[in-house]
């Protein structure tokens, strides 16, 4: 997780250009996720309205860009400082904390938004207008369409009204699972976890025995990931059961004898639940009557 803390305050005239430079590096490497903040105040010091947040997002995304490992956050958060005074604060430090706490306790492939892992215990609401009420759902959805993750106040089942992060989207414009930040974090987690395991086999004999050992080492890792709801299922396609060149399906003899080995990891990812539709039906004596979708 990477942030440029308070850059819009330290470099007010150049912060978008600085973000764009860093974003280009992040996009080219796909090793980390860059979190970008929509300032809680506009250039004149006024608190951002939802429409102004969208306008700021349009400007930011035109300059910084869209990518599966870039995510935008807004809303600001109100905290009491050490003197008991209520302060309007930026959000990225809190976002880092939520992401780290969720990864440590549940796994980096779990969303850190919502009522279960996105609540900020000591926050006193967003700085901008609260969009957590049911009447604000349309504006909240509009922000989601601009890839904006935002802090809101919502009713919880047993803790009353709490401040929490809502949405966990990347800025990827593609309609695939990498629009979810949790899936991008899953992919980065897989890369960082598998890399040292696989690199430990470099300079070992490139033969069937080595491929089998490699598979036997990574397979328990994926079984555990499946048990912890990281993936629905997985398949390691790497000729791990081959005993001769005639058995090869993924590799070929020419590449093998040049020291090359290839394996494909096929996973069915688990995405975060985004929408629940409940049908309310009155069961009248004359028959069931469908009232509405809620």
């Amino acid at each position: 997780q990477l942030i440029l803390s308070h850059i819009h305050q330290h470099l007010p005239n150049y912060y978008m250009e600085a973000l764009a430079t860093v974003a280009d590096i992040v996009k080219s490497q796909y090793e980390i996720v860059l979190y970008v903040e929509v300032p809680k105040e506009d250039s004149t010091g006024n608190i951002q309205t939802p429409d102004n947040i969208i306008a700021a997002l349009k400007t930011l995304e035109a300059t910084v860009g869209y990518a599966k490992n870039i995510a935008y956050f807004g809303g600001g958060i109100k905290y009491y400082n050490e003197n008991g005074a209520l302060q309007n604060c930026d959000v990225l430090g809190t976002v880092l904390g939520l992401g780290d706490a969720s990864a440590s306790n549940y796994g980096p492939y779990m969303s850190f938004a919502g009522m279960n892992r996105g609540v900020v215990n000591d926050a006193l609401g967003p700085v901008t207008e609260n969009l957590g009420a049911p009447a604000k759902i349309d504006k909240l959805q509009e922000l989601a369409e601009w890839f904006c993750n935002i802090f809101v106040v919502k009713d919880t089942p047993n803790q009353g009204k709490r401040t929490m992060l809502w949405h966990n989207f990347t800025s990827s414009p593609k309609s695939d699972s990498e629009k979810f930040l949790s899936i991008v974090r899953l992919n980065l987690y897989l890369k960082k976890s598998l890399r040292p395991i696989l690199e430990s086999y470099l300079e070992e004999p490139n033969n069937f025995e080595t491929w089998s050992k490699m598979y036997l080492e990574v397979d328990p890792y994926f079984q555990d990931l499946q048990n912890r709801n990281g993936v629905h299922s997985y398949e390691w396609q790497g000729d791990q059961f081959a005993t001769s060149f005639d058995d090869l399906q993924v590799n070929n003899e020419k590449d093998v004898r040049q020291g090359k080995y290839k394996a494909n990891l096929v996973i069915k990812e688990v995405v975060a639940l985004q929408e629940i539709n409940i049908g309310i039906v009155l069961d009248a004596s004359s028959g069931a009557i469908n009232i509405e979708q809620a």
Side-chain angles (χ1 to χ4, degrees):
Q1 300 178 112
L2 173 66
I3 67 171
L4 277 66
S5 180
H6 297 89
I7 189 172
H8 59 283
Q9 296 173 348
H10 299 311
L11 298 172
N13 297 322
Y14 306 101
Y15 83 94
M16 283 197 291
E17 288 80 356
L19 277 171
T21 300
V22 174
D24 287 342
I25 298 172
V26 168
K27 285 183 280 189
S28 68
Q29 296 181 354
Y30 196 51
E31 293 288 338
I32 55 179
V33 179
L34 174 65
Y35 297 156
V36 179
E37 181 163 18
V38 181
K40 61 187 179 297
E41 299 171 348
D42 62 21
S43 58
T44 61
N46 295 316
I47 301 301
Q48 298 272 37
T49 65
D51 288 338
N52 288 346
I53 291 175
I54 292 173
L57 278 166
K58 292 179 180 179
T59 303
L60 272 170
E61 291 168 359
T63 304
V64 179
Y66 308 87
K68 57 189 177 183
N69 56 335
I70 296 178
Y72 292 90
F73 295 84
I77 302 179
K78 295 179 180 179
Y79 289 106
Y80 286 120
N81 65 13
E82 63 275 11
N83 298 317
L86 194 61
Q87 301 291 317
N88 292 337
C89 301
D90 293 336
V91 302
L92 291 185
T94 300
V95 172
L96 287 180
L98 290 174
D100 282 347
S102 179
S104 298
N105 294 318
Y106 305 98
Y109 40 80
M110 297 289 282
S111 170
F112 57 89
M115 297 183 186
N116 298 309
R117 290 171 297 278
V119 171
V120 186
N121 291 322
D122 53 346
L124 278 300
V127 175
T128 60
E129 176 187 350
N130 176 41
L131 300 179
K136 302 290 185 179
I137 188 66
D138 289 343
K139 187 59 67 174
L140 198 59
Q141 178 59 31
E142 189 175 353
L143 285 170
E145 292 169 359
W146 283 97
F147 315 112
C148 185
N149 308 306
I150 193 163
F151 285 88
V152 300
V153 174
K154 277 185 171 285
D155 289 312
T156 62
N158 50 27
Q159 301 179 57
K161 295 184 180 295
R162 304 299 298 272
T163 303
M164 65 191 71
L165 176 64
W166 205 252
H167 301 152
N168 211 221
F169 295 124
T170 69
S171 61
S172 173
K174 297 181 179 179
S175 294
D176 58 26
S177 61
E178 285 187 311
K179 69 181 180 181
F180 300 112
L181 185 53
S182 57
I183 299 304
V184 170
R185 280 160 57 94
L186 167 66
N187 291 336
L188 295 178
Y189 173 63
L190 291 176
K191 287 182 66 175
K192 293 178 183 296
S193 299
L194 289 177
R195 182 181 289 137
I197 296 174
L198 299 180
E199 287 184 346
S200 71
Y201 285 91
L202 294 176
E203 302 301 333
E204 291 300 296
N206 192 27
N207 60 12
F208 312 118
E209 182 181 359
T210 296
W211 305 345
S212 177
K213 288 180 179 178
M214 190 184 304
Y215 167 72
L216 292 175
E217 186 168 358
V218 301
D219 186 58
Y221 170 83
F222 288 108
Q223 288 183 14
D224 179 65
L225 189 62
Q226 186 178 27
N227 292 337
R228 292 187 287 128
N229 296 317
V231 296
H232 286 292
S233 62
Y234 68 93
E235 182 181 3
W236 181 270
Q237 301 172 349
D239 295 318
Q240 64 270 20
F241 302 119
T243 58
S244 71
F245 286 124
D246 293 334
D247 297 333
L248 298 184
Q249 296 180 346
V250 177
N251 295 275
N252 61 74
E253 182 178 351
K254 178 181 178 182
D255 286 345
V256 170
R257 296 176 67 183
Q258 290 295 317
K260 300 176 182 179
Y261 171 70
K262 178 181 178 181
N264 296 319
L265 172 62
V266 180
I267 62 173
K268 292 184 179 180
E269 70 281 31
V270 179
V271 302
L273 182 61
Q274 296 295 308
E275 183 177 321
I276 300 174
N277 290 302
I278 303 296
I280 300 177
V281 177
L282 289 184
D283 190 3
S285 59
S286 58
I289 303 173
N290 188 4
I291 300 301
E292 63 176 312
Q293 292 289 328

